[in-house]
Amino acid sequence: MNIILLGPPGAGKGTQAKMLVDQYQIPQISTGDILRAAVKEGTQLGKEAKSYMDKGELVPDSVVIGIVEERIKEPDCAKGYMLDGFPRTVPQAEALDGMLQNLSSMIDHVVSIEVGKEELVKRLTGRRTCRECGAGYHVMFDPPKTEDVCDKCGGELYQRDDDNVETVTSRLEVYEAQTLPLIGYYKTQGKVRPIDGVGDIKDIFGRITQVLS
Ligand code: AP5
Ligand code: MG
Ligand code: ZN
């Protein structure tokens, strides 16, 4: 099963993807996570990506398309995968369709997680992530048992560089202008599964697994 998780910054794509990995035993492919790892390692890709990410802008299509093209050919993707944060522009979606056609494969579901703007800003500015295992938290909505310490591995929690109010505002604008048109793109293909993304994290997980089954 090949799935796209679509939704604005803060919709819960990463949160739900981590739970779906356990449920379906297919990997999560987050272009944001891959780019952040490159930034951390200080690679050429990371240096190029950082300037865009800090401004809340999209990294050029050619760069992320190349990353995904490599990644989906890895053996762990043979039984399916979840794309989190890709595609994000119509050219990316077209490129994905092209590469899947070459692999005689296709996307089965586009899970579109819907959350209003005010809630998104609250979620993003309060998000914390584990430096060691990548687990996600929220200072109010999903706090760790001990402040700034990961429940799962004891690692240190940090705040993403792009989770400040200014960058969040531009990320939300970029989403509306460049990513929202993908809903129409995938509606034409009959693949959009709209999910109400507001409420308890486990309830939302239930809504997603229901439409996938
Ligand atoms: P990326 O890392 O993909 O960030 P994003 O799309 O902005 O999405 P987020 O990761 O911020 O949100 P999420 O939906 O995963 O929310 P989460 O589950 O963490 O991209 C970052 C940057 O990389 C981009 O700006 C761009 O520069 C670049 N990039 C990446 N992909 C690219 C591409 N394809 N093309 C070009 N550039 C690309 O949840 C958020 C918070 O809310 C957490 O604290 C969580 O605990 C909390 N939460 C989750 N669910 C709930 C709930 N139900 N109720 C209350 N709180 C909740
Ligand atoms: Mg994410
Ligand atoms: Zn951890």
Side-chain angles (χ1 to χ4, degrees):
M1 185 161 59
N2 302 329
I3 308 169
I4 292 172
L5 292 173
L6 191 65
K13 302 182 294 295
T15 303
Q16 296 298 329
K18 292 201 166 55
M19 298 162 77
L20 291 164
V21 166
D22 294 337
Q23 177 87 6
Y24 296 105
Q25 305 290 313
I26 55 173
Q28 167 197 13
I29 302 175
S30 160
T31 42
D33 286 351
I34 293 169
L35 292 168
R36 275 184 294 279
V39 170
K40 197 175 156 193
E41 283 165 31
T43 62
Q44 192 52 45
L45 165 67
K47 281 178 194 143
E48 191 191 342
K50 187 172 171 25
S51 59
Y52 296 100
M53 295 170 84
D54 284 348
K55 283 184 276 186
E57 291 170 7
L58 295 182
V59 173
D61 287 338
S62 59
V63 175
V64 285
I65 289 166
I67 291 174
V68 172
E69 193 156 24
E70 289 301 305
R71 184 64 188 88
I72 61 171
K73 288 180 192 153
E74 297 283 324
D76 65 331
C77 292
K79 287 201 185 116
Y81 46 80
M82 249 176 298
L83 293 170
D84 161 6
F86 181 94
R88 256 175 146 97
T89 63
V90 170
Q92 288 180 24
E94 289 168 347
L96 177 65
D97 278 343
M99 52 178 112
L100 291 179
Q101 212 159 23
N102 288 336
L103 297 167
S104 307
S105 175
M106 62 174 215
I107 294 297
D108 300 297
H109 305 280
V110 176
V111 175
S112 168
I113 309 179
E114 299 169 347
V115 178
K117 222 178 203 165
E118 250 176 70
E119 168 85 6
L120 294 171
V121 175
K122 280 188 217 157
R123 287 189 187 182
L124 291 168
T125 50
R127 170 167 51 191
R128 296 292 182 272
T129 309
C130 176
R131 241 183 240 293
E132 305 302 324
C133 76
Y137 297 88
H138 189 282
V139 290
M140 275 158 67
F141 307 140
D142 187 17
K145 290 193 184 78
T146 311
E147 202 182 322
D148 294 331
V149 178
C150 178
D151 290 349
K152 296 185 179 80
C153 79
E156 183 200 0
L157 304 187
Y158 76 100
Q159 182 167 29
R160 258 168 60 172
D161 288 343
D162 60 349
D163 278 347
N164 58 77
V165 179
E166 301 81 70
T167 312
V168 163
T169 306
S170 76
R171 283 161 63 201
L172 292 172
E173 285 168 6
V174 165
Y175 175 80
E176 280 188 16
Q178 302 196 51
T179 308
L180 212 49
L182 290 183
I183 306 266
Y185 181 92
Y186 286 113
K187 258 192 188 155
T188 313
Q189 299 187 2
K191 290 180 180 167
V192 178
R193 318 284 178 249
I195 298 288
D196 176 5
V198 180
D200 190 81
I201 290 171
K202 287 201 185 73
D203 292 343
I204 297 162
F205 180 67
R207 290 171 204 159
I208 297 175
T209 51
Q210 202 171 1
V211 301
L212 295 182
S213 64

